[in-house]
Amino acid sequence: MGSALRKVAQRIVQLGGKPDFNPDTLTRRAHAGYDASADLIEMIKEDLVAERVAIASYTEIAKWLGDGDPTTRRVFEDLLAQEEEHADDLRGLLERIPQEQKG
């Protein structure tokens, strides 16, 4: 289980809920799709898109929570910071790939 999923699941439990780890429902609720590309550049680009989708989602959730639940808002702000760092890393990786390999 990824660290983001683990953190959200822990918060759900703290609030008295039960996390849903069913793979079928997880994929239906996902905000980013799955791409089975075998091309490294395309995989990195798709990962970057997924990071940007997560950034937008976490930003929206944090704003929605506002001051109503500061603990949960901080969880999402921490996740947002991680996703922004991941996106920066992927963008930097794409910039370092020689132009001829980018197609």
Side-chain angles (χ1 to χ4, degrees), residues 6 17 20 25 30-32 36 42 51-52 56 67 73 89 93 97:
R6 189 174 15 263
D20 177 0
T25 59
H31 292 135
E42 287 305 311
E51 296 293 346
R52 289 179 176 158
D67 293 331
R73 186 190 72 236
D89 291 346
L93 182 59
I97 295 172

Side-chain angles (χ1 to χ4, degrees), residues 44 47-55 79-95:
I44 294 170
D47 282 351
L48 183 54
V49 168
E51 296 293 346
R52 289 179 176 158
V53 168
I55 289 167
L79 295 173
L80 176 59
Q82 290 175 2
E83 297 301 331
E84 288 172 338
E85 185 177 325
H86 295 161
D88 287 344
D89 291 346
L90 290 169
R91 189 173 32 256
L93 182 59
L94 284 173
E95 289 170 358

Side-chain angles (χ1 to χ4, degrees), residues 54-74:
I55 289 167
S57 297
Y58 294 161
T59 299
E60 185 177 331
I61 291 168
K63 285 181 183 178
W64 180 81
L65 289 166
D67 293 331
D69 184 350
T71 302
T72 304
R73 186 190 72 236
R74 279 193 301 274

